[in-house]
Amino acid sequence: MKKKAVPEWLNSSIWSTSPAMNSTTTTTTSASASADLVHRYSPSSNPYIYDDDDVDPPAPPPPPPPPDTVRRDVRDRDPGRLGDYDRDDEGPSAEEISRQALLLTEVSKKMINIGELRRLACQGVPDNAGVRPMVWKLLLGYLPPDRSLWPSELAKKRSHYKNLKTDLLVNPSEITRRLEDSLYSDSKESKGPPIGMLKRSEIAHGEHPLSLGKSSIWNKYFQESEILEQIDRDVKRTHPDMIFFSGDSAYAKSNQDSLRNILIIFSKLNPGIRYVQGMNEVLAPLFYVFKTDPDEENTAAAEADTFFCFTELFGGFRDNFCQQLDNSNMGIRSTIARLSQLLKEHDEELWRHLEVTTKVNPQFYAFRWITLLLTMEFNFSDILRIWDFLLSDPEGPQETLLRVCCAMLILVRRHLIAGDFTSNLKLLQHYPPTNINHLLYVARRIICVLQHVILDSYSLGSVSCL
Amino acid sequence: MVLVLALGDMHIPHRAPDLPAKFKSMLVPGKIQHIICTGNLCIKEVHDYLKTLCPDLHISRGEYDEETRYPETKTLTIGQFKLGVCHGHQVIPWGDLDSLAMLQRQLDVDILVTGHTHQFTAYKHEGGVVINPGSATGAYSSITYDVNPSFVLMDIDGLRVVVYVYELIDGEVKVDKIDFKKTTTTTTH
């Protein structure tokens, strides 16, 4: 058996800094310059000089100063101003435009082919076309592929959410008042004499605020108040650099309220998992995308849509958040072990160096990557792009996530191999800004190689049974 | 939804050693937002205990209180309601509803909380409501020995108040409630 060396494609010249680029890279790594305001990619003629040698941020062609990310979400909604920021005279490449056009036509069809949509979305959804909310809703299964069913589906789900809100978001005073109003429907008589001793009345079901009974709504309310406080604290801390989420404006406050409501309702509907810190981070990009939908009607109902999509997305990942499952073969530890195995298959040298030589336990860095779906490793626009890729995978986001993590490790392999425990850990816990298209290209290649490996093992198997 | 605890006339340690155990098990920190105490605690330890239940504590001076610096009367605003506290030994005849109504108009409050009689009463007149939470320990009063331990919890929610009356009768806690709404028209003098 041949010793597993570093795969050939890893050593290809695209990762090096020399200007002689091979043209094959331009197709997938070509600029989505018009779409992305934050990273100014140079057009396909200039090679990407960004590679694992550059840990310092200024490597990509002039990145904007950080304040731009704060104002970005405001500018994002105004596609008319796009031209000001497009410093590339050549604009997006022809393939880019055609791919975006394909995506747009696919989305506007009456009966959408989800498989085709997945394939197109995998390459990235254009930021300024306003189709991302719709694409994500389709990919998550919230909207059916048949366009004619959309209005009824949406109306049904949104009213369901409204009912959930009225049922679950009330405090006990409200509940007792409603109970009474239903019991004493002729409540006009409770006016009583204007002067005199006030009439004492029985309480219903032994419900009073200091009740210690297990089934008492008041008792349950106070027990849940701790979780509510935790949710409140985390919501206030979500993305403090973005005016969409934080700050004193009424807009930010209403967005925070929406996030809070969604998390509270989710925690009440899922008593097994309640609320775990970090769920707010997974929720934030979803809500942002749906709230910045150019369609007015969708923006108004963004909270309801986000709730259902979040439940859907989270369904695949909830095992990672459940503490009891930590050590089982469904929990986070086994997921991290799978990542480790994946790295070993693709880059044994790096794996050996990380785990054996420098003893960097993957739990130190991969935990946050996996549970938070990479939302804390990159800036916001990159997160949206990565999530396009994650959501478009037909096998589900969990598998693709591991591949992206593996790609992240491989991209910085030179630094990792050269570093010791401290520097490696520091690097991985503060992952350097990188070219996202590169990253996703590598992640896609890992899929291909994996399929090759599977095919190889099949062919070997068939030979051996002769 | 603001929970306000009103109690008083504990007379610890002179007339009673402590609050009844069943009351103490119900009164846990974290649920109540304000405490109004009519007076006659009488010692600092009771003050500290009430402080652990809720940091926002309002006390008026009773005639046996060892802390001399509590005010005779106090007013505070919670939500849409103005509340007043006074021990009640100053209002003569003790427990007379018309005289208490005079005090209420003087303080200009919607709900007046007084004590001293060690009997629970809730009385409504056109100026507002007078509530007497009774004695939380069931200590004997200047008037009678037959006292049931009682206290009051008010749930203030907008313009509506639900008053929960907790009484210890024959060793069992009985809870009743009283509902009233504040009319938005204020009486002009």
Side-chain angles (χ1 to χ4, degrees):
Chain A
M1 270 288 269
K2 182 162 79 81
K3 175 173 173 288
K4 266 237 193 104
V6 175
E8 195 44 61
W9 56 272
L10 258 187
N11 277 333
S12 84
S13 50
I14 56 169
W15 310 124
S16 72
T17 54
S18 72
M21 286 296 114
N22 39 354
S23 57
T24 54
T25 62
T26 55
T27 45
T28 42
T29 54
S30 62
S32 50
S34 63
D36 199 318
L37 299 174
V38 177
H39 280 276
R40 313 286 189 255
Y41 299 138
S42 49
S44 46
S45 58
N46 293 352
Y48 286 105
I49 46 178
Y50 194 77
D51 110 294
D52 40 1
D53 271 346
D54 297 314
V55 183
D56 342 304
D68 274 359
T69 45
V70 175
R71 291 190 286 280
R72 183 194 179 259
D73 39 357
V74 176
R75 295 193 302 229
D76 204 10
R77 318 183 75 175
D78 192 356
R81 294 186 58 196
L82 218 47
D84 297 344
Y85 302 101
D86 192 359
R87 297 195 221 163
D88 312 312
D89 295 323
E90 299 187 18
S93 65
E95 295 105 22
E96 187 65 25
I97 299 179
S98 73
R99 188 171 59 72
Q100 289 181 15
L102 273 177
L103 184 67
L104 290 170
T105 46
E106 184 64 44
V107 165
S108 37
K109 282 197 200 148
K110 277 232 186 64
M111 188 77 192
I112 299 174
N113 181 341
I114 294 291
E116 181 66 24
L117 184 66
R118 283 191 194 278
R119 203 183 60 77
L120 288 167
C122 190
Q123 311 276 353
V125 176
D127 282 328
N128 55 336
V131 292
R132 185 175 266 136
M134 198 185 339
V135 171
W136 281 19
K137 284 179 195 168
L138 284 163
L139 292 174
L140 281 167
Y142 181 59
L143 288 174
D146 188 354
R147 190 177 269 266
S148 58
L149 292 175
W150 286 5
S152 62
E153 272 294 312
L154 284 174
K156 198 168 66 167
K157 296 232 166 97
R158 285 167 186 176
S159 78
H160 180 52
Y161 181 72
K162 211 158 119 206
N163 291 340
L164 282 174
K165 268 178 95 159
T166 47
D167 283 338
L168 295 175
L169 282 184
V170 284
N171 58 27
S173 310
E174 273 291 317
I175 300 181
T176 40
R177 190 186 332 192
R178 282 189 208 157
L179 268 176
E180 274 163 42
D181 289 346
S182 62
L183 282 176
Y184 309 113
S185 46
D186 52 346
S187 59
K188 288 304 139 211
E189 53 84 22
S190 66
K191 268 309 205 180
I195 291 181
M197 304 302 290
L198 282 170
K199 200 161 71 86
R200 286 159 73 146
S201 52
E202 292 275 317
I203 50 172
H205 312 295
E207 280 290 351
H208 57 92
L210 297 177
S211 158
L212 295 169
K214 285 235 176 322
S215 60
S216 154
I217 44 172
W218 286 94
N219 203 14
K220 279 195 233 159
Y221 173 78
F222 286 120
Q223 279 172 348
E224 285 165 355
S225 65
E226 207 189 295
I227 298 180
L228 264 53
E229 265 173 50
Q230 172 79 325
I231 292 180
D232 190 46
R233 256 179 279 147
D234 283 348
V235 161
K236 292 206 170 93
R237 293 197 281 220
T238 314
H239 290 293
D241 54 332
M242 287 179 69
I243 45 176
F244 183 87
F245 286 113
S246 80
D248 290 328
S249 65
Y251 185 55
K253 291 248 172 326
S254 85
N255 290 339
Q256 282 184 355
D257 284 340
S258 299
L259 286 180
R260 197 178 299 127
N261 290 345
I262 295 173
L263 288 169
I264 292 174
I265 294 179
F266 185 83
S267 77
K268 291 200 179 173
L269 288 178
N270 296 278
I273 189 157
R274 283 302 167 98
Y275 173 75
V276 181
Q277 263 193 311
M279 280 162 64
N280 60 318
E281 297 289 344
V282 175
L283 183 61
L286 265 181
F287 184 68
Y288 177 84
V289 165
F290 292 159
K291 189 82 183 174
T292 51
D293 193 336
D295 182 338
E296 279 299 322
E297 196 195 313
N298 285 343
T299 312
E303 195 181 318
D305 295 341
T306 317
F307 172 74
F308 288 108
C309 291
F310 175 68
T311 316
E312 190 59 47
L313 176 64
F314 202 72
F317 289 97
R318 61 191 303 150
D319 290 340
N320 286 339
F321 280 85
C322 185
Q323 247 186 328
Q324 283 97 348
L325 291 175
D326 266 353
N327 289 330
S328 78
N329 60 355
M330 284 180 298
I332 184 67
R333 290 241 171 93
S334 90
T335 315
I336 293 180
R338 283 208 332 258
L339 170 63
S340 192
Q341 186 65 21
L342 199 63
L343 180 64
K344 184 173 175 194
E345 280 168 18
H346 289 272
D347 192 346
E348 178 141 3
E349 186 194 347
L350 178 60
W351 175 84
R352 193 175 302 282
H353 181 81
L354 267 184
E355 303 230 357
V356 180
T357 319
T358 51
K359 294 207 180 15
V360 177
N361 189 336
Q363 274 190 352
F364 297 149
Y365 54 87
F367 188 81
R368 197 170 74 166
W369 291 3
I370 293 176
T371 48
L372 295 187
L373 295 171
L374 300 171
T375 47
M376 291 206 89
E377 315 304 323
F378 300 100
N379 68 23
F380 203 74
S381 54
D382 288 344
I383 295 171
L384 298 183
R385 177 73 188 80
I386 293 181
W387 276 39
D388 285 339
F389 183 69
L390 289 180
L391 294 176
S392 65
D393 191 320
E395 291 175 31
Q398 177 85 290
E399 290 303 315
T400 327
L401 181 62
L402 291 182
R403 290 181 196 125
V404 177
C405 292
C406 197
M408 281 164 74
L409 289 170
I410 292 176
L411 272 192
V412 288
R413 68 188 307 274
R414 283 212 195 132
H415 285 278
L416 290 177
I417 290 186
D420 66 343
F421 177 79
T422 330
S423 69
N424 283 354
L425 197 60
K426 210 164 123 192
L427 179 67
L428 291 173
Q429 284 183 341
H430 302 92
Y431 197 79
T434 175
N435 182 332
I436 294 299
N437 283 341
H438 263 203
L439 179 66
L440 297 178
Y441 174 72
V442 176
R444 271 197 290 279
R445 290 298 299 268
I446 294 181
I447 303 179
C448 299
V449 175
L450 207 55
Q451 285 168 352
H452 276 272
V453 170
I454 295 171
L455 284 173
D456 280 345
S457 61
Y458 278 143
S459 59
L460 276 177
S462 59
V463 164
S464 62
C465 52
L466 280 176
Chain B
M1 196 201 77
V2 182
L3 291 180
V4 183
L5 176 69
L7 74 173
D9 288 319
M10 278 81 81
H11 287 279
I12 296 172
H14 308 119
R15 302 187 194 176
D18 201 0
L19 288 169
K22 292 207 165 154
F23 280 359
K24 278 193 111 158
S25 66
M26 282 200 293
L27 291 171
V28 293
K31 296 188 181 180
I32 300 167
Q33 274 89 51
H34 305 274
I35 298 187
I36 292 178
C37 188
T38 52
N40 274 345
L41 297 178
C42 304
I43 48 176
K44 187 168 178 309
E45 277 78 355
V46 182
H47 176 105
D48 294 339
Y49 166 72
L50 290 178
K51 209 70 182 174
T52 64
L53 286 185
C54 164
D56 192 31
L57 180 55
H58 304 274
I59 311 183
S60 61
R61 179 141 203 271
E63 75 269 43
Y64 290 104
D65 268 313
E66 309 218 335
E67 168 67 60
T68 53
R69 285 171 303 176
Y70 296 141
E72 294 281 324
T73 62
K74 196 163 191 194
T75 56
L76 60 148
T77 309
I78 294 176
Q80 305 276 356
F81 286 87
K82 288 190 285 204
L83 291 98
V85 202
C86 175
H87 178 246
H89 67 273
Q90 307 96 328
V91 179
I92 302 168
W94 291 338
D96 179 50
L97 295 164
D98 292 326
S99 315
L100 288 173
M102 270 203 288
L103 175 64
Q104 180 161 11
R105 279 189 283 272
Q106 215 175 353
L107 294 175
D108 187 26
V109 290
D110 301 309
I111 302 175
L112 178 65
V113 183
T114 57
H116 189 56
T117 61
H118 298 208
Q119 300 289 333
F120 168 79
T121 49
Y123 179 73
K124 183 174 192 303
H125 59 92
E126 71 254 341
V129 171
V130 177
I131 295 181
N132 185 331
S135 162
T137 51
Y140 60 86
S141 75
S142 324
I143 310 168
T144 171
Y145 275 100
D146 184 16
V147 177
N148 279 328
S150 66
F151 68 89
V152 154
L153 186 68
M154 292 187 276
D155 176 8
I156 299 181
D157 191 15
L159 286 173
R160 187 172 169 263
V161 172
V162 183
V163 177
Y164 293 92
V165 185
Y166 294 78
E167 261 183 309
L168 193 69
I169 300 177
D170 296 332
E172 285 304 317
V173 177
K174 264 195 93 263
V175 189
D176 288 325
K177 73 176 169 70
I178 299 172
D179 231 319
F180 71 91
K181 280 196 196 18
K182 173 178 172 175
T183 51
T184 46
T185 57
T186 50
T187 55
T188 52
H189 297 291

